Amino acid sequence: MAFFRKPILLVMLVVVMATLGSTTATVYEVGDSSGWTFNYNYEQWAASKHFQLGDVLIFNYDPHFHNVRQVDKKNYNDCTDHNPMASFNTGSDTLTLETPGIYYFMCDIPGHCASGLKFQIKIDMPRVLPADPETPPPPSPDPTKSFPNIPGYPAKSPATSSNAGSLFKCTWSCKDMLLTLFFVSSMFLSMV
């Protein structure tokens, strides 16, 4: 029985680490191996992906024949690039999706956008935003104000300076969790 404990624990550790690691950014090559070119359905390609904040788009194309413009909805629908938000023309361009919203991309070489060299993606607001170390914590509640009582629960007193802001707050990063998990698992495995 003890013989099977270590492999099972290792499998569990790998599954947990893979689950935690799945929250990292994904790098997408636009058009997959086809790149940014003709005869490819980019709308279908984009619809098959689940883009999130922090993901990276890589546009690979021949800069003699194509370019990439990030435009607004009107320019996207009209296949025009009046005042593009961003312009790329190196043939190997990278863009990190840093804000929620709808992103519109197109090639502005005449006729290219109309022939399908365009797509849009939507980035939703994440459910939990990553902590920004430069953002100051919210002010502590005023201890002179009373908290409402919720029926069925004991009355709560206001937060003091020792526990202010501690409810529902986690300051651990993914790296901290993984290191702790690794340390605890290593200790546990050495005991088995």
Side-chain angles (χ1 to χ4, degrees):
M1 181 74 174
F3 176 74
F4 292 107
R5 283 188 194 164
K6 283 187 181 182
I8 290 172
L9 290 173
L10 286 173
V11 168
M12 289 174 52
L13 178 64
V14 168
V15 168
V16 169
M17 290 177 73
T19 303
L20 289 174
S22 68
T23 61
T24 60
T26 303
V27 176
Y28 293 99
E29 181 177 357
V30 176
D32 296 322
S33 61
S34 297
W36 184 241
T37 189
F38 292 120
N39 302 319
Y40 193 87
N41 188 334
Y42 293 98
E43 290 292 339
Q44 185 177 2
W45 173 85
S48 72
K49 312 293 185 219
H50 180 72
F51 300 101
Q52 299 180 28
L53 281 179
D55 285 351
V56 176
L57 299 179
I58 299 176
F59 291 86
N60 288 316
Y61 57 94
D62 184 338
H64 295 102
F65 299 109
H66 303 293
N67 60 34
V68 180
R69 301 290 186 253
Q70 182 183 350
V71 296
D72 62 18
K73 183 178 183 177
K74 180 175 180 3
N75 285 310
Y76 177 82
N77 289 334
D78 296 342
C79 281
T80 59
D81 71 339
H82 305 297
N83 301 317
M85 297 172 186
S87 297
F88 305 98
N89 56 11
T90 68
S92 182
D93 303 309
T94 302
L95 174 76
T96 302
L97 304 171
E98 296 176 339
T99 58
I102 300 177
Y103 289 75
Y104 300 94
F105 299 100
M106 59 176 270
C107 177
D108 77 343
I109 307 286
H112 292 198
C113 175
S115 70
L117 215 54
K118 68 178 193 171
F119 70 97
Q120 64 180 339
I121 58 175
K122 182 178 181 186
I123 309 298
D124 292 322
M125 182 68 102
R127 291 183 200 194
V128 178
L129 292 174
D132 183 1
E134 295 180 8
T135 303
S140 298
D142 184 355
T144 60
K145 294 183 180 178
S146 63
F147 282 67
N149 290 330
I150 301 172
Y153 292 93
K156 296 208 179 230
S157 61
T160 63
S161 61
S162 63
N163 69 355
S166 64
L167 297 176
F168 306 110
K169 183 177 180 183
C170 179
T171 58
W172 284 39
S173 69
C174 236
K175 181 179 92 177
D176 294 333
M177 288 188 282
L178 287 174
L179 288 173
T180 303
L181 181 63
F182 178 74
F183 178 72
V184 170
S185 299
S186 297
M187 290 187 62
F188 183 75
L189 289 174
S190 67
M191 293 171 38
V192 176

